[in-house]
Amino acid sequence: MDYDFLNRIRTGITLYSKKKTSNLLDGGFRSIFRGRSLDFDDLREYAYGDNVRDIDWKASSKTGKTLIRRYIAERKHNILLIADSGSKMLADTDAGEPKERLAVMAMGTVAYLANRHGDDFALLMNRGAGLDFSFFKSGEVHFERLVRRYETSIGKGSDRDLGDILTYVAENFRRRMIIFIITDMDGESKLNDKLLQQLTVQSDVMLISISDAYLTGERAYDMDRMDYEAEFLQRSGSLARAERSERSRRHDETLELCKRFDVGYTVIGRESELIDRIAEMMEQHKEYGK
């Protein structure tokens, strides 16, 4: 396994913790549900993604339903990471950094924080012709496997509509979760009121958007055509102004949509700002609930 991303995640968070004496990441992560009570120890019906080892066969035989035992601490969370893995993630950010690297770093940072807090976390993404879902678990091995799994899947998955994936989650997942969506500007455009309303009924949602390179500018490359843009387009001042205006409009629309449904939202274009932006997003999300 290539441990480059894992070491960068661990090192980055360690440096952040030393720099921020308030320990913002740990505090923000523990209280991310904004004080809502979580599930207490009991039996409940089996839901997609539960560990079969938690099934209480004796109780299930008596009730005729498949029941699982819950031994969930008051502050333990279920973290679902939904990550884009299509070819569009092989492009660059507006700062000229690889989107792939930032997406993996963002996914790994959240997974690392979840694991350090003792939470269960799972990854859902496109891989090949269908969806790839890991069970909710915790532990260092699980963390490393998921980071590596996502890293090796980017560019190999289908560009399935993010809206379809989120609809699948809304219709098939019945547990309370914190959902982290890692996507880009195209993925943002798939969000709408109905979809976020479904997701936020019982779960908290965070949106991490990896920025996209501009269409104009030196050596702009089109991932759809797999070729560089024509020189006259790259140097067009009017096209550059129109693109910046359109991006600003889209950003404002996404921000307003997220505010309506108390969804945390951040845009990341540089690795150096990644942990700060994620921490700020968590703090922003807590403020929504006050």
Side-chain angles (χ1 to χ4, degrees):
M1 176 186 291
D2 181 359
Y3 286 91
D4 178 57
F5 286 126
L6 303 179
N7 290 332
R8 284 174 177 268
I9 291 164
R10 294 187 179 99
T11 301
I13 292 176
T14 299
L15 292 175
Y16 186 95
S17 298
K18 289 180 179 179
K19 182 177 67 173
K20 303 288 186 180
T21 56
S22 62
N23 210 9
L24 176 61
L25 284 183
D26 279 343
F29 208 73
R30 279 197 293 269
S31 57
I32 208 166
F33 267 125
R34 305 190 305 278
R36 293 190 300 187
S37 61
L38 300 182
D39 300 323
F40 52 89
D41 294 350
D42 63 356
L43 291 171
R44 67 164 169 78
E45 192 168 359
Y46 177 88
Y48 181 71
D50 288 332
N51 195 324
V52 294
R53 289 180 295 182
D54 291 334
I55 295 176
D56 188 322
W57 296 107
K58 186 175 182 179
S60 297
S61 64
K62 291 181 179 179
T63 62
K65 297 180 179 180
T66 304
L67 302 175
I68 67 165
R69 296 182 295 271
R70 289 197 291 188
Y71 303 103
I72 302 177
E74 181 183 356
R75 305 193 71 82
K76 189 169 184 177
H77 303 150
N78 291 305
I79 312 296
L80 178 62
L81 298 150
I82 300 175
D84 258 344
S85 60
S87 59
K88 61 181 181 176
M89 302 307 289
L90 295 175
D92 289 340
T93 71
D94 56 1
E97 297 189 17
K99 288 172 63 177
E100 173 187 10
R101 178 181 291 275
L102 266 66
V104 174
M105 289 289 291
M107 174 265 167
T109 295
V110 176
Y112 182 79
L113 290 171
N115 186 57
R116 194 165 73 174
H117 185 240
D119 295 325
D120 291 331
F121 51 98
L123 173 65
L124 177 65
M125 62 180 176
N126 286 316
R127 189 167 182 168
L131 294 179
D132 186 319
F133 173 68
S134 71
F135 287 104
F136 286 94
K137 297 180 183 177
S138 60
E140 194 72 12
V141 173
H142 184 55
F143 158 70
E144 292 185 0
R145 284 177 177 170
L146 290 196
V147 173
R148 180 59 174 168
R149 194 170 178 173
Y150 183 40
E151 177 191 1
T152 57
S153 297
I154 293 180
K156 298 177 182 177
S158 62
D159 285 316
R160 182 171 176 176
D161 193 320
L162 179 68
D164 291 340
I165 300 175
L166 296 178
T167 298
Y168 175 82
V169 171
E171 294 176 350
N172 292 280
F173 285 70
R174 294 294 177 261
R175 61 173 66 202
R176 179 173 293 172
M177 303 176 293
I178 304 174
I179 301 172
F180 284 86
I181 304 168
I182 301 166
T183 186
D184 58 7
M185 188 167 61
D186 179 67
E188 291 181 32
S189 68
K190 311 304 180 184
L191 301 175
N192 56 58
D193 290 68
K194 179 181 178 181
L195 189 52
L196 288 185
Q197 185 176 40
Q198 289 177 309
L199 292 171
T200 56
V201 166
Q202 64 177 4
S203 295
D204 285 62
V205 178
M206 306 280 166
L207 176 61
I208 300 174
S209 182
I210 308 300
S211 68
D212 290 271
Y214 283 93
L215 297 174
T216 54
E218 187 176 356
R219 303 294 286 169
Y221 192 82
D222 189 328
M223 291 298 297
D224 291 328
R225 296 190 300 109
M226 300 300 287
D227 195 7
Y228 289 99
E229 292 287 1
E231 185 175 352
F232 80 91
L233 291 177
Q234 296 181 38
R235 298 181 181 276
S236 172
S238 59
L239 180 60
R241 289 189 294 273
E243 181 184 11
R244 291 182 183 277
S245 176
E246 176 63 16
R247 285 193 178 211
S248 178
R249 182 191 67 80
R250 288 191 181 193
H251 173 77
D252 291 344
E253 286 184 354
T254 301
L255 182 60
E256 181 59 34
L257 179 64
C258 289
K259 285 182 178 180
R260 285 203 298 273
F261 294 95
D262 293 349
V263 171
Y265 173 53
T266 191
V267 180
I268 302 172
R270 293 177 173 84
E271 184 178 333
S272 61
E273 66 187 16
L274 187 144
I275 296 179
D276 282 288
R277 290 289 177 89
I278 291 177
E280 291 168 2
M281 176 186 64
M282 292 179 178
E283 284 297 290
Q284 171 201 65
H285 181 67
K286 289 196 297 180
E287 290 297 319
Y288 285 159
K290 291 183 179 180

